[in-house]
């Protein structure tokens, strides 16, 4: 096999964004992420500080969302969310574009909205993933977003929130990879539910995937590696 357990585990952002999760479930999810040594936990904003406390001393990063799930928050609100997340220990922030402004073709607004979050996050030494919510966009709009994100130095472009009408598709992932330079990574979200799908997106250059079935995916990874004597 051309991968190790760490290669796969460090592709996963363990998603804890379902609005029905309780405090107990959120904390259990953070501990599961540590046990499986994934890349990050992406958690509801109010719980980020507690998440960062649980993850302290591990290699798992604490992350949360900005403007989630529809991207329609006023820019000043997104900035306030960003600054609070950074104070609470956020290391990676998953920001939703203003979908309405993208569809309206108001690219100056879209650029300003993204820059307002990316700049302070980078100033604090942390990273931003920009969520397009591709299910609502055409290819020209996705490509324009790739270009803007590249010019602003976004760390990842990401397909979906997981709460729109569709999730990651292979066609969108290939398009995003093709229209971003190598240093802008691509994250798949909404649709990676098993190891085979994760390996498939890895082959086309995706470096992160949001997942709720983290334990199932990584247990299967361990079984296959063990069967192969690795």
């Amino acid at each position: 096999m051309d991968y190790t357990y760490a290669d796969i585990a460090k592709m996963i952002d363990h998603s804890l964004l379902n609005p029905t999760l309780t405090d107990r479930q959120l904390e259990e999810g953070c501990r599961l992420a540590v046990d499986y040594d994934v890349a990050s936990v992406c958690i509801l904003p109010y719980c980020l500080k507690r998440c960062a406390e649980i993850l302290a001393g591990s290699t798992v990063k604490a992350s949360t969302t900005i403007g989630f799930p529809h991207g329609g928050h006023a820019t000043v609100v997104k900035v306030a969310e960003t600054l609070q997340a950074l104070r609470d220990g956020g290391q990676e922030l998953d920001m939703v574009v203003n979908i309405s402004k993208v569809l309206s073709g108001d690219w100056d607004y879209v650029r300003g909205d993204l820059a307002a979050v990316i700049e302070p996050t980078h100033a604090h030494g942390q990273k931003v993933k920009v969520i397009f919510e591709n299910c609502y966009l055409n290819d020209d709009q996705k490509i324009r977003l790739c270009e803007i994100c590249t010019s602003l130095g976004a760390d990842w472009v990401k397909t979906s929130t997981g709460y729109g009408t569709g999730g990651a598709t292979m066609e969108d992932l290939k398009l995003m990879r093709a229209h971003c330079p190598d240093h802008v990574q691509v994250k798949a979200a909404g649709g990676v539910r098993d190891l085979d799908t994760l390996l498939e997106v890895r082959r086309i250059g995706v470096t992160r995937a949001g997942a709720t079935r983290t334990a199932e995916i990584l247990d299967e990874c361990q079984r296959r590696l063990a069967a192969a004597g690795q």
Side-chain angles (χ1 to χ4, degrees), residues 9 11 19 52 65 78 115 132 134 166 182 188 197 199 202 213:
M11 284 184 68
T65 54
K78 289 182 175 177
F132 291 6
N134 284 336
D182 290 344
T197 306
L199 293 173
R202 180 175 182 265
R213 300 181 183 179

Side-chain angles (χ1 to χ4, degrees), residues 13-26:
D13 289 345
H14 185 51
S15 179
L16 296 172
L17 297 173
N18 189 315
T20 65
L21 292 175
T22 64
D23 290 351
R24 180 180 60 79
Q25 290 170 322
L26 289 163

Side-chain angles (χ1 to χ4, degrees), residues 5 7-13 170 188 191-211 214 217-218 221:
Y5 175 84
D7 291 336
I8 303 305
K10 289 303 183 186
M11 284 184 68
I12 292 179
D13 289 345
M170 292 300 292
V192 178
R193 299 185 178 90
D194 56 50
L195 179 59
D196 288 327
T197 306
L198 186 61
L199 293 173
E200 187 176 7
V201 300
R202 180 175 182 265
R203 281 192 286 272
I204 62 170
V206 170
T207 60
R208 287 284 184 90
T214 299
I217 293 170
L218 292 176
C221 178

Side-chain angles (χ1 to χ4, degrees), residues 68-169:
F68 201 81
H70 302 306
H73 299 46
T75 299
V76 67
V77 176
K78 289 182 175 177
V79 172
E81 283 187 303
T82 298
L83 297 177
Q84 184 62 52
L86 294 168
R87 283 193 292 270
D88 287 346
Q91 296 167 288
E92 295 180 356
L93 306 183
D94 289 37
M95 172 198 184
V96 189
V97 299
N98 186 311
I99 299 163
S100 176
K101 285 294 192 182
V102 172
L103 294 172
S104 300
D106 191 347
W107 296 108
D108 287 342
Y109 184 100
V110 172
R111 174 183 290 276
D113 194 52
L114 292 171
V117 170
I118 292 171
E119 289 174 4
T121 306
H122 284 177
H124 283 75
Q126 310 303 354
K127 297 183 177 179
V128 176
K129 308 181 186 93
V130 178
I131 305 171
F132 291 6
E133 201 67 300
N134 284 336
C135 58
Y136 301 122
L137 308 181
N138 62 39
D139 285 353
D140 288 343
Q141 291 159 341
K142 298 166 197 169
I143 292 169
R144 187 69 176 268
L145 282 172
C146 286
E147 294 168 348
I148 292 172
C149 287
T150 297
S151 69
L152 293 174
D155 301 284
W156 277 270
V157 292
K158 175 178 171 182
T159 57
S160 326
T161 62
Y163 293 88
T165 57
T169 67

